[in-house]
Amino acid sequence: RKICKSCKCSQEDHSPSSDVEDDRKIGRLLSESKYATLTARVKGGDGVRIYKRNRMIITNPIVSRKDPTFDTITYEWAPPGLTQKLAIQYMELIPKEMQPVAGTEGAYYRRRQLMRQLPTYDQDPSHCRGLAEGEAKLMEDFVKKYKADALGVGEVALPGQGGGAKDDGKQQDKAVAAGKPSASTNGAVDSVPAGGQACCEICKQAVLADCPVVYADRAGYARQWHPACFVCCKCSEPLVDLIYFWKNGAVWCGRHYCESLRPRCAGCDEIIFSEDYQQAEGLAWHKKHFACLGCETLLTGKPFSLDSASLLCLTCSKSRRL
């Protein structure tokens, strides 16, 4: 199970990952995709790639004291490829409690979101315990397909300046002018708001010319989001490090994108690749994980209680009520 046996809390609350683990995980996710440029090969790592996470350090002089000192702020992640001024502007446009400043709740929130939205076992069969014989290949094909068709990393720029490759941006503009979908939008048709005023995809409010916005290349560069509005269409949570999955004209976090294609086991939290699994009250389990959360007795064919995804045999359910 991906929960603590003692306190029953989730892995992201109980056992947060380290920087090294996070960077290796995201490096593996982005490798063999068109975003592999955001990774670097590890020396002596036998082809392993690691995430080139962009940290940002800001040093401000404190002039009120007799001896000059400096106040240093470290952001554990910042959008790559920006001037520091534009990166700071971006940070100021997201809620303060979510800004990944080292040593703050925002940095802890980012780490939890990396585990929640992008679990390792959604991309690496070697981290899965629920795969039966022959299912590892199914999962490998599943991962390969979403890397090719859906995975993306948002780009931060000023309105009208999205698309790092200028030639690609011109092609996008031509496609919009001709009323045709661009080749890289995965079926999405670019749209320009009536009156020519650019608006945010989510809140539909105007974007200001001097404020950064987020672009998703799979959506086409006529669409843009306010930084605080670049959220998963399912859970409405901000997309960690701007990593998104594109489906049905919307951006998804990795967790909910995968769940939109395959069921997720409520016991081990892994994607189910078997066609033979247990279902109850809108949830799904591997057959071997359809067990009491208290005593771990298998419950197939037996009476049980289900409360907020907590699956219990009748004996454990009664003892909890006492």
Side-chain angles (χ1 to χ4, degrees):
R1 289 197 182 105
K2 298 299 187 298
I3 60 170
C4 173
K5 282 191 174 184
S6 298
C7 63
K8 311 302 182 188
C9 65
S10 64
Q11 185 178 8
E12 58 260 28
D13 288 325
H14 191 74
S15 180
S17 57
S18 68
D19 280 347
V20 172
E21 290 172 326
D22 288 341
D23 290 347
R24 284 183 176 273
K25 175 179 70 174
I26 304 306
R28 184 167 50 242
L29 175 66
L30 299 180
S31 65
E32 298 178 357
S33 78
K34 63 179 181 175
Y35 304 96
T37 53
L38 296 175
T39 69
R41 195 178 302 278
V42 178
K43 286 186 178 180
D46 195 26
V48 173
R49 302 191 72 89
I50 194 168
Y51 182 34
K52 294 191 297 186
R53 178 159 48 98
N54 184 48
R55 290 181 177 87
M56 181 171 66
I57 300 175
I58 300 171
T59 303
N60 297 313
I62 301 175
V63 295
S64 60
R65 299 181 182 179
K66 190 173 183 180
D67 297 322
T69 57
F70 296 91
D71 176 35
T72 299
I73 300 173
T74 300
Y75 289 92
E76 294 195 349
W77 171 87
L82 304 183
T83 63
Q84 189 174 89
K85 179 181 177 182
L86 195 59
I88 293 172
Q89 264 190 291
Y90 168 86
M91 289 299 178
E92 290 174 346
L93 291 171
I94 60 177
K96 188 172 181 60
E97 65 273 14
M98 295 179 184
Q99 296 174 13
V101 176
T104 68
E105 181 61 31
Y108 180 63
Y109 171 80
R110 172 185 172 270
R111 185 160 292 171
R112 289 180 68 252
Q113 289 298 85
L114 280 170
M115 295 184 72
R116 177 70 180 166
Q117 295 185 5
L118 303 167
T120 307
Y121 43 84
D122 276 10
Q123 55 161 298
D124 188 350
S126 69
H127 283 76
C128 296
R129 298 181 181 180
L131 291 177
E133 186 177 352
E135 290 178 0
K137 181 62 167 62
L138 290 175
M139 183 175 181
E140 288 171 1
D141 292 342
F142 178 79
V143 172
K144 186 181 293 185
K145 183 170 176 56
Y146 75 54
K147 284 189 179 186
D149 297 345
L151 175 65
V153 180
E155 175 193 343
V156 177
L158 290 174
Q161 296 182 18
K166 298 303 180 184
D167 290 341
D168 182 56
K170 291 175 183 176
Q171 290 172 11
Q172 294 280 357
D173 293 339
K174 289 177 182 177
V176 173
K180 299 176 182 178
S182 72
S184 64
T185 61
N186 195 21
V189 179
D190 291 341
S191 59
V192 178
Q197 175 64 62
C199 297
C200 172
E201 278 293 301
I202 298 299
C203 69
K204 306 304 180 185
Q205 298 298 308
V207 297
L208 302 179
D210 58 350
C211 290
V213 294
V214 181
Y215 290 95
D217 64 334
R218 291 191 184 273
Y221 287 100
R223 302 185 186 208
Q224 52 214 311
W225 288 256
H226 290 125
C229 293
F230 197 62
V231 300
C232 171
C233 67
K234 179 72 173 179
C235 63
S236 298
E237 286 289 321
L239 293 161
V240 64
D241 289 18
L242 304 180
I243 298 171
Y244 70 91
F245 290 74
W246 181 253
K247 181 186 174 188
N248 294 339
V251 291
W252 302 63
C253 69
R255 168 175 290 273
H256 290 117
Y257 172 80
C258 289
E259 289 178 11
S260 74
L261 301 176
R262 305 285 311 186
R264 186 181 296 278
C265 178
C268 72
D269 200 45
E270 293 173 13
I271 298 297
I272 299 174
F273 288 92
S274 170
E275 297 305 320
D276 184 22
Y277 58 91
Q278 188 73 37
Q279 289 182 285
E281 297 186 25
L283 298 174
W285 289 261
H286 291 107
K287 283 287 186 76
K288 61 184 178 182
H289 295 154
F290 191 67
C292 174
L293 193 63
C295 65
E296 302 195 1
T297 300
L298 287 174
L299 295 174
T300 302
K302 298 178 182 178
F304 61 87
S305 72
L306 183 61
D307 181 28
S308 299
S310 293
L311 185 64
L312 297 168
C313 67
L314 296 188
T315 301
C316 289
S317 178
K318 288 178 183 176
S319 67
R320 285 196 176 190
R321 289 198 296 266
L322 295 177

